[in-house]
Amino acid sequence: MCGRYTLRAPAQVIAETFGVEGDPAGVDVAPRYNIAPGQDVWVVREGSATPRRRLDRLRWGLVPAWSEKAPAAATMINARAETAAEKPAFRLPFRRRRCIVPADGFYEWKRWPSGAQPYLIDRKDGRPFGMAGLWDRWRGPDGTPLESCAILTTSPNELVASLHDRMPVILAPDDFDLWRDPREQDVALAAGLAHGLQSL
């Protein structure tokens, strides 16, 4: 799973890495070293009417649009890449509400007899990478919207396998545009990207 991650890069680096349009100088992207479920997180996504790439703030822990009420705690923080296209909570987001969750490290815990020890997995050059995400928009009884997201996970690569049996789906930069394009609704194509894995 992916239950904690970091985003320490400045806004300008994030904008350049993910092709965010507009001036990122006004975006308050303070360094964060332990991003947790239930918190607001930055995602890169596009609107359906215009292909403008935006950096938006969403709640981590997906609340499906059809939910009767928002849960008290963030429960759906991850979605399995192998089954997300079929699960009721993730089926529509997988088809047309995909996003990229910028990060520059994520934590996994290795269990020892004395307890669990966290390990930070990041790139050797320290630059951000893009985790595949899904988002949805839920409206409360008064019509107030809540936009939330989940991070896709997959089988671990060789580096992570010694720590955990799951890891976030890391998108290759060449796949960024296709993954976040809401006009691309080919589930099989999206599933192919979600099963891909970019080494850190």
Side-chain angles (χ1 to χ4, degrees), residues 25-42:
V27 179
D28 181 19
V29 184
R32 298 172 69 185
Y33 298 87
N34 190 18
I35 299 172
Q39 296 179 348
D40 287 349
V41 299
W42 291 108

Side-chain angles (χ1 to χ4, degrees), residues 79-96 98 134 152 179 185-192 194-195:
R80 294 178 70 93
E82 299 87 345
T83 58
E86 305 161 4
K87 296 294 185 181
F90 304 121
R91 191 163 47 215
L92 177 60
F94 193 87
R95 179 179 293 275
R96 60 200 314 181
R98 299 182 300 270
L134 307 174
L152 281 174
W179 177 257
Q185 297 185 26
D186 185 334
V187 172
L189 182 60
H195 289 307

Side-chain angles (χ1 to χ4, degrees), residues 11-121:
Q12 185 64 44
V13 173
I14 296 171
E16 292 171 356
T17 302
F18 299 101
V20 174
E21 299 178 23
D23 183 6
V27 179
D28 181 19
V29 184
R32 298 172 69 185
Y33 298 87
N34 190 18
I35 299 172
Q39 296 179 348
D40 287 349
V41 299
W42 291 108
V43 305
V44 180
R45 60 180 177 170
E46 296 181 7
S48 56
T50 172
R52 183 174 182 271
R53 294 177 293 276
R54 309 187 312 260
L55 190 62
D56 293 332
R57 192 187 294 265
L58 276 63
R59 184 72 50 84
W60 186 14
L62 189 138
V63 180
W66 44 260
S67 293
E68 293 185 5
K69 61 180 181 179
T75 55
M76 289 191 282
I77 63 170
N78 293 154
R80 294 178 70 93
E82 299 87 345
T83 58
E86 305 161 4
K87 296 294 185 181
F90 304 121
R91 191 163 47 215
L92 177 60
F94 193 87
R95 179 179 293 275
R96 60 200 314 181
R97 291 179 174 169
R98 299 182 300 270
C99 62
I100 299 174
V101 183
D104 44 33
F106 63 92
Y107 295 98
E108 293 296 356
W109 280 258
K110 187 174 181 66
R111 299 193 179 280
W112 302 93
S114 58
Q117 178 177 346
Y119 288 81
L120 176 64
I121 296 96

